Amino acid sequence: MMDRMASVQPTIFVLFGATGDLAKRMVLPSFYQLHVEGLLPEKWVLIGNGRHDTSDDEFRDHVRGALEEFGSGTEDWDSFAERIRFAGKGFTVDDPGALPDVVDDARKDVGDDAQLVHYIALPPSTFEDYTKALGAHDLAEGARVVYEKPFGTSEKNFEELDKAVHEVLDEKQVYRIDHFLGKEATQNLHVLRFANGMVDGIWNAEHVAQVQIDVPETLDIDDRAEFYDHTGAVLDMLVTHLFQVAAEIAMEPPASLKADDLQSARETVIGSFRPLDVSEVVLGQYDGYRDVDGVADDSTVDTFVAAKLWVDTERWRGVPFLLRTGKKLGVSAQRVSLVFRKPPKSPLTELPDDGTVLSFDLSGNGAIDVAMTVKEPGPDFDLSVGHLSLPLKSVPDAEPLSPYSRLILDVLNGDRSLFTRPDGLAHVWKVAAPLLNDPPQVQAYAPGSMGPDAAGDLASPCGWLVS
Ligand SMILES: NC(=O)C1=CN([C@@H]2O[C@H](COP(=O)(O)OP(=O)(O)OC[C@H]3O[C@@H](n4cnc5c(N)ncnc54)[C@H](OP(=O)(O)O)[C@@H]3O)[C@@H](O)[C@H]2O)C=CC1
Ligand SMILES: O=C1O[C@H](COP(=O)(O)O)[C@@H](O)[C@H](O)[C@H]1O
């Protein structure tokens, strides 16, 4: 931890969309966590940006509120607050608002050699214009720029955005964030496998019958209806987070765990994702969604998606990757499960289909779980499924970081291993194209259920493990 901090140079961190939902839930509390844990450089300034003429003090109040609601407290508030500024009045090519002056002013505090990091926590439709504005106002040179997901909304839009970004920035300045890659348990997907021969040996189609990447949410979209109604579950979660997690599982062993090799292994396997077959996708919308303020009365936006993804590599041919996510469902979970085949020559009959499962809980600090078929202790010979759990927090010396803290720290340190690359993303949009161009009808589901019934059939024979 100390080594990481020492390598970080003085930083001016510009947060676009600073009063938005993501900023208050994730970015600001995570930045504060880095401050509290002494992982930020000695000299830093955080500048919030937005279209309103908000004062520094008003923004500080907003930040404090965000920490109280979504963070772990405000013990070190004074030393945090004094480094916070706000640059209002928007930021466009024609009019940069207050930002250039506020950045110049910040340099007086942190030094002319401070690195500039721009975090674009804005709706994806604005990424191109903000990038152009960074170029137009001399705020791009030498800077690192973090883009939220989704990076693009279709094959064509991705190509245009990628071109526009590379007209202003070198690829090495670009950090496309997918916070699921920053989760402690996600990082353990490759570490567990490459560090343990026992696991590595069974990480293939010969042993794995199906993979489930299941992220049902009880959460609704009331606070971000306008954003959500232009996005939907496919773009918000499926082709972003769930695809990236699928790539983490499916990747071939990288030459090393260094940034370039790890990124390369993840992006290469995405190239083997087969374009989605719409007959293997179920879309849903919860009853009552259209009544939410900010949602169109006739909206057909998907709040639920379940899909079968095929990875055409020798390792995974024939193994379905079952992906599911949705809002206002009956349970919240973030579970990745490798369901193992039954022993081919077992003398035991009637073994359960989900009798051997290695699973990863991506939520919170993360956990690794194993389910195994065992003899139920007792006088009879009955079989049962038992569970072992390893909460990652219980590992000696564990100091888990939230995904956003981990990834922001990586940006400050210039480590791009957990960020996505344009070659993989270009293929993501090709895989998604059949679904985006010709989506199946959205089916209604009741809030508190687990989505449309049709989604259940996709996961046969064992069904969805989270229920
Ligand atoms: N919210 C979440 O849980 C997560 C969100 N994300 C991603 O983060 C990004 C931001 O999401 P979120 O914070 O939810 O979105 P919001 O709808 O809350 O928008 C963020 C801010 O962007 C500004 N904004 C909105 N529309 C425009 C526009 N047309 N032009 C310029 N500025 C605009 C607003 O600030 P102002 O009015 O002050 O200018 C707003 O507060 C998205 O790309 C999303 O996919 C990723 C992971 C989780
Ligand atoms: O990116 C997003 O992720 C969250 C779920 O992630 P979590 O780690 O915050 O639980 C999801 O609710 C949101 O819709 C999506 O934009």
Side-chain angles (χ1 to χ4, degrees), residues 84-353:
I84 295 178
R85 322 254 191 284
F86 196 81
K89 302 185 195 152
F91 184 64
T92 65
V93 168
D94 296 334
D95 180 359
L99 188 59
D101 288 344
V102 178
V103 169
D104 281 347
D105 219 44
R107 288 196 193 283
K108 291 180 197 145
D109 291 345
V110 292
D112 285 338
D113 62 338
Q115 64 173 341
L116 201 49
V117 173
H118 302 295
Y119 194 119
I120 305 195
L122 293 166
S125 55
T126 66
F127 291 177
E128 191 172 330
D129 288 347
Y130 275 72
T131 308
K132 287 182 178 158
L134 287 175
H137 302 296
D138 292 333
L139 289 170
E141 203 184 323
R144 294 180 183 149
V145 184
V146 185
Y147 291 90
E148 259 305 331
K149 49 105 300 231
F151 190 85
T153 49
S154 67
E155 208 174 342
K156 183 162 171 287
N157 176 268
F158 164 78
E159 280 165 13
E160 288 165 2
L161 176 60
D162 190 48
K163 186 161 171 280
V165 164
H166 286 120
E167 276 166 9
V168 176
L169 304 164
D170 282 343
E171 174 58 18
K172 65 174 185 309
Q173 294 178 269
V174 180
Y175 290 74
R176 299 173 200 82
I177 206 165
D178 188 302
H179 78 276
F180 271 54
L181 291 178
K183 290 179 182 264
E184 293 286 0
T186 308
Q187 293 172 68
N188 257 298
L189 286 168
H190 59 253
V191 173
L192 191 82
R193 171 181 168 198
F194 300 130
N196 301 282
M198 179 180 97
V199 179
D200 188 39
I202 55 174
W203 204 270
N204 53 46
E206 190 189 341
H207 298 282
V208 177
Q210 58 170 239
V211 175
Q212 296 194 8
I213 302 173
D214 201 4
V215 186
E217 299 185 286
T218 53
L219 205 71
D220 58 29
I221 50 84
D222 292 8
D223 286 350
R224 49 200 292 251
E226 203 183 316
F227 161 81
Y228 198 88
D229 205 40
H230 287 95
T231 308
V234 169
L235 296 183
D236 188 41
M237 296 290 287
L238 180 79
V239 303
T240 47
H241 302 318
L242 304 196
F243 272 23
Q244 291 300 325
V245 173
E248 274 286 315
I249 296 166
M251 68 163 73
E252 289 303 309
S256 77
L257 287 194
K258 289 195 189 128
D260 284 354
D261 291 334
L262 190 55
Q263 253 193 338
S264 203
R266 196 186 309 112
E267 303 288 318
T268 303
V269 80
I270 291 174
S272 300
F273 287 6
R274 194 187 301 169
L276 293 169
D277 175 346
V278 288
S279 71
E280 295 179 328
V281 179
V282 175
L283 298 182
Q285 185 186 88
Y286 65 79
D287 292 331
Y289 172 73
R290 293 175 184 184
D291 301 330
V292 176
D293 271 355
V295 169
D297 292 346
D298 56 353
S299 174
T300 54
V301 159
D302 46 294
T303 60
F304 173 96
V305 57
K308 225 181 237 190
L309 173 72
W310 299 96
V311 182
D312 287 329
T313 60
E314 205 180 317
R315 182 181 295 277
W316 293 112
R317 211 174 302 280
V319 178
F321 281 55
L322 300 158
L323 317 181
R324 179 175 72 164
T325 187
K327 301 290 186 201
K328 267 219 178 273
L329 296 174
V331 291
S332 280
Q334 300 189 338
R335 189 159 285 276
V336 172
S337 306
L338 281 79
V339 182
F340 288 91
R341 298 186 191 283
K342 300 175 198 173
K345 295 178 187 158
S346 173
L348 295 165
T349 52
E350 295 183 26
L351 288 171
D353 289 314

